[in-house]
Amino acid sequence: MSGVRIVAALRTPVAPRGGALSRMSLHELAAPVLNAALAAAGLAPENVDELVLGNALGAGGNPARLVALAAGLPERVAGLTIDRQCCGGLDALVLGAALIASGQAEVVAAGGVESYSRRPLRLRTDPDGGTPQAYDRPPFTPFPERDPDMDAAADTLAQQAGFDRAAQDDWAVGSHRKARAADLRDEIVPLAGLARDAFTRDLSPRLAARARVLTGSITPANAAVAADGAAICIMVSDRVAARLGQGGLRWCGGLTLGARPDLPGLAPVAAIKALLNRNRLHPQDLRVAEIMEAYAVQALACIAGAQIDRQIVNPGGGGLARGHPVGASGAINAVRLFHELRGRGGSGIAAIAAAGGLGSAVLMSAD
């Protein structure tokens, strides 16, 4: 089996729904990032064996194929789109690594793309011929009593884990503060006149405290805004990496595990622990952890559950300061991890939760 390395990782800026990226289709979002990532890796489009992308809101049609064609990849590159909701962007990397490790591919572009702004409207047909009914999301479990709305699930987690609104707001303020202080230009491909994450702001504790209540302790200040964006990682075999003359980061593994569907925010904890155990690592061995902040409480509960030092989490800010382009968010975390580890060295982890009680985690090392 071949070893796997990530030799380039780039992303778009993230913009809130209806913002600067709202007029761009999925392939218009992702193709420029794919081309830029290939150039950064020293590879040409014809070198790519497969493209795997996470996408949750595009309603099918295999967006990865559209991206492959728009980016000028060879027509033999079929493209594979996966939907595991928020986990899809990280799971695309896991699939890409498996293709390389098994010898089925040597160069895979993997990541995610999402346009919340241009998501299709959803209608559920009536088998009796009645008027189709609009719906916002599909069911994530077959049991309605265990399929809460995400805001409600986050508030339940906050109550059970003991994180009040003040603690959540404090984390959100810190996320924006870190993002404002970070220089992320090396990882961002400018699009539509935007060269930085559009939502990042000077969020003060007073402003966070004034935010309206969504559910219980959950507010727009401590929950990530719906957003548009894309991210791509270039994954190669050890042989290709040696030919390119750059080591990149070593792929140490990734996995997705299911957990309680009614408390999805806790799901990454088991995946993080299992992945560290497989690699004979402890939380204190990590230099960086990129934990998705769909909600502040989700990040806080995962950090506590996995016993990760808060000081190494999301050093350039997190989803609260960027936004949440669902199927791309995990890949954006992977891009952030790639760039943080290249500067710091050591090992790092990226993790994300998804509706239905799913948790994904990946581990990389700058050895």
Side-chain angles (χ1 to χ4, degrees):
M1 293 179 67
S2 172
V4 179
R5 304 194 79 86
I6 300 176
V7 292
L10 293 170
R11 65 179 180 93
T12 67
V14 178
R17 169 177 48 184
L21 306 181
S22 62
R23 295 184 179 275
M24 304 186 76
S25 64
L26 295 176
H27 65 272
E28 290 171 330
L29 284 169
V33 182
L34 173 53
N35 289 139
L38 287 171
L43 293 165
E46 55 265 27
N47 298 131
V48 178
D49 297 313
E50 185 58 283
L51 170 66
V52 186
L53 292 177
N55 177 263
L57 305 177
N62 193 18
R65 176 61 172 171
L66 276 69
V67 174
L69 293 172
L73 300 189
E75 291 185 352
R76 60 175 169 75
V77 179
L80 172 64
T81 306
I82 63 170
D83 176 8
R84 193 129 69 172
Q85 296 298 310
C86 308
C87 292
L90 277 189
D91 290 347
L93 272 68
V94 176
L95 288 176
L99 288 172
I100 294 170
S102 64
Q104 297 180 71
E106 286 205 294
V107 177
V108 176
V113 58
E114 201 76 79
S115 175
Y116 217 107
S117 298
R118 300 189 64 176
R119 73 195 191 285
L121 298 177
R122 302 183 183 198
L123 295 174
R124 185 173 288 112
T125 58
D126 183 346
D128 297 322
T131 302
Q133 298 297 307
Y135 69 99
D136 187 54
R137 69 166 179 89
F140 297 119
T141 88
F143 316 113
E145 71 280 6
R146 301 191 70 195
D147 192 15
D149 288 337
M150 293 300 98
D151 290 353
D155 185 54
T156 298
L157 176 59
Q159 294 177 45
Q160 294 190 8
F163 292 108
D164 61 14
R165 176 172 171 176
Q168 296 173 61
D169 286 353
D170 180 68
W171 185 265
V173 168
S175 182
H176 282 266
R177 183 180 64 249
K178 289 184 288 186
R180 282 170 58 83
D183 183 356
L184 307 182
R185 287 175 294 180
D186 287 350
E187 70 191 51
I188 292 177
V189 177
L191 282 181
L194 187 65
R196 57 180 292 275
D197 296 323
F199 189 68
T200 304
R201 63 194 60 198
D202 184 10
L203 179 66
S204 67
R206 178 176 294 183
L207 185 59
R210 289 171 52 193
R212 64 185 175 88
V213 171
L214 298 174
T215 302
S217 62
I218 308 303
T219 76
N222 57 45
V225 66
D228 308 329
I232 301 284
C233 296
I234 305 300
M235 313 180 78
V236 303
S237 66
D238 282 343
R239 187 180 74 84
V240 171
R243 189 182 79 226
L244 292 171
Q246 57 169 305
L249 297 189
R250 180 167 56 90
W251 174 264
C252 303
L255 79 163
T256 298
L257 295 176
R260 285 182 56 177
D262 51 337
L263 281 178
L266 274 180
V269 173
I272 292 169
K273 288 182 175 180
L275 191 55
L276 291 176
N277 186 58
R278 284 185 187 181
N279 286 269
R280 299 181 182 179
L281 294 174
H282 301 284
Q284 57 267 32
D285 297 321
L286 299 173
R287 293 292 300 275
V288 182
E290 290 290 335
I291 308 296
M292 181 57 195
E293 300 169 350
Y295 296 90
V297 67
Q298 173 188 310
L300 289 166
C302 286
I303 293 164
Q307 298 181 313
I308 296 173
D309 180 357
R310 286 194 187 194
Q311 298 303 312
I312 70 167
V313 176
N314 301 350
L320 291 167
R322 287 191 298 268
H324 187 11
V326 193
S329 290
I332 291 170
N333 276 16
V335 170
R336 287 262 57 252
L337 181 61
F338 177 89
H339 287 268
E340 291 292 344
L341 286 179
R342 285 214 306 184
R344 299 166 185 263
S347 298
I349 203 159
I352 192 168
L358 306 177
S360 293
V362 305
L363 183 70
M364 305 177 199
S365 175
D367 56 8

